[in-house]
Amino acid sequence: IGANTVGSLVASAWGMTLDSVEYAPIGYGSYHWYASGGGSRWLVTADVADQRPLAAAYELTHRLGEQFGFVRSPLAQRGGGLVLESDGWLITVWPWIGGRSGAFGDRQSPGDVAAIAGCLRQLHDYAEIPSAVELIEEWDIPGRAMLVEALGDNAGGENTGPYAAEMEDRIAANRSRLLDMLARFDDLAARVRDETQLVITHGEPHVANVVHSEAGPVLIDWDTVRWAPRERDLWWLPGESWRKAYGPDQPISEQAIEMYRLR
């Protein structure tokens, strides 16, 4: 999908007068464009229309954005919808957030971590929206079926990609460890599923998904929002300083932390 097509769709559906639309080679899993007009800027995102419940995720995000300033939510179209479907693409428009952010894996200061923990506590405590079935934790490992197949006795021989042979060697060399990890995950998931409360979670509140604005941290990339144990978010926070900011009154399941880290 090209910039001109994106610009035309956005201008029509969102009623915007755009001066420029420029492809932005950022992020993972989606395509992005910088759009500007009349002195304002936006980020436009296009996702392939697949089985992910994007529409439901963004509807929930929009409702959360009405409650919390740390939620960057999608802008509504003139007709009220949040997601525009066109030729197999799902188009959304997001407000531009000015501030400081980092790259995945960057170190975070204790102050930044504490600020994010405070936002997550508010999110997890918010219980005014009933859970949606399609947005409840799925309790599994993405791509597990392919991994299990690769660990089988008949694995290998058919993959011809440039990394296939090396990957097969690595899987074979670590087969016992991987099987132990899968078994440990299953054991932890069974316990966590029965013992923890489901709350609204962002899913990936790592350093690259936070913009520290003048008003405080803003969480972006809400396609991963789900009802899940709070530890789905908390395991991303480094160190131990976040626990005090999150609140000592809330017991944290170390088994759930381990489960999500292992996944």
Side-chain angles (χ1 to χ4, degrees):
I1 185 169
N4 290 337
T5 301
V6 169
S8 296
L9 291 170
V10 170
S12 175
W14 277 266
M16 295 177 174
T17 300
L18 301 179
D19 299 325
S20 67
V21 178
E22 177 185 357
Y23 177 67
I26 58 174
Y28 176 81
S30 303
Y31 297 90
H32 304 280
W33 291 263
Y34 300 128
S36 61
S40 299
R41 299 185 72 183
W42 303 274
L43 186 72
V44 182
T45 296
D47 291 278
V48 176
D50 55 19
Q51 299 303 310
R52 293 178 297 159
L54 279 178
Y58 291 154
E59 178 63 34
L60 174 57
T61 303
H62 189 74
R63 295 181 65 180
L64 292 172
E66 295 175 339
Q67 298 294 324
F68 302 111
F70 60 81
V71 176
R72 185 185 70 167
S73 61
L75 300 178
Q77 304 170 47
R78 289 191 294 184
L82 301 171
V83 180
L84 175 65
E85 184 167 0
S86 177
D87 293 329
W89 294 97
L90 302 178
I91 312 295
T92 48
V93 178
W94 305 80
W96 184 264
I97 305 296
R100 167 178 54 86
S101 63
F104 185 82
D106 284 355
R107 294 179 63 86
Q108 301 179 74
S109 71
D112 284 352
V113 173
I116 297 168
C119 294
L120 292 176
R121 178 60 192 269
Q122 294 180 66
L123 176 67
H124 298 163
D125 284 348
Y126 188 66
E128 301 304 314
I129 302 176
S131 59
V133 173
E134 65 270 35
L135 294 179
I136 293 178
E137 171 65 90
E138 295 180 347
W139 305 103
D140 206 351
I141 300 170
R144 178 171 182 157
M146 291 184 288
L147 176 59
V148 171
E149 182 180 358
L151 290 167
D153 295 332
N154 298 321
E158 298 181 2
N159 298 316
T160 58
Y163 304 105
E166 180 182 357
M167 190 64 187
E168 288 170 357
D169 290 343
R170 291 191 176 214
I171 289 176
N174 292 278
R175 183 175 186 274
S176 177
R177 182 177 178 220
L178 287 167
L179 290 172
D180 288 344
M181 293 170 72
L182 287 171
R184 177 61 176 166
F185 174 85
D186 289 342
D187 179 57
L188 289 168
R191 300 185 203 179
V192 171
R193 185 186 297 112
D194 294 335
E195 296 175 359
T196 59
Q197 176 189 8
L198 301 188
V199 299
I200 300 175
T201 62
H202 176 280
E204 295 184 349
H206 54 68
V207 62
N209 279 342
V210 181
V211 178
H212 292 276
S213 69
E214 291 184 357
V218 179
L219 293 172
I220 65 174
D221 283 4
W222 287 81
D223 58 298
T224 54
V225 64
R226 297 290 186 274
W227 272 271
R230 63 190 71 238
E231 291 82 5
R232 180 174 183 254
D233 285 338
L234 298 178
W235 84 269
W236 288 97
L237 302 182
E240 294 295 322
S241 61
W242 62 266
R243 294 178 185 265
K244 182 177 180 180
Y246 186 78
D249 60 310
Q250 178 59 54
I252 305 300
S253 168
E254 299 304 327
Q255 289 187 334
I257 292 282
E258 180 186 353
M259 184 197 74
Y260 281 109
R261 184 176 290 119
L262 185 59
R263 184 166 77 168

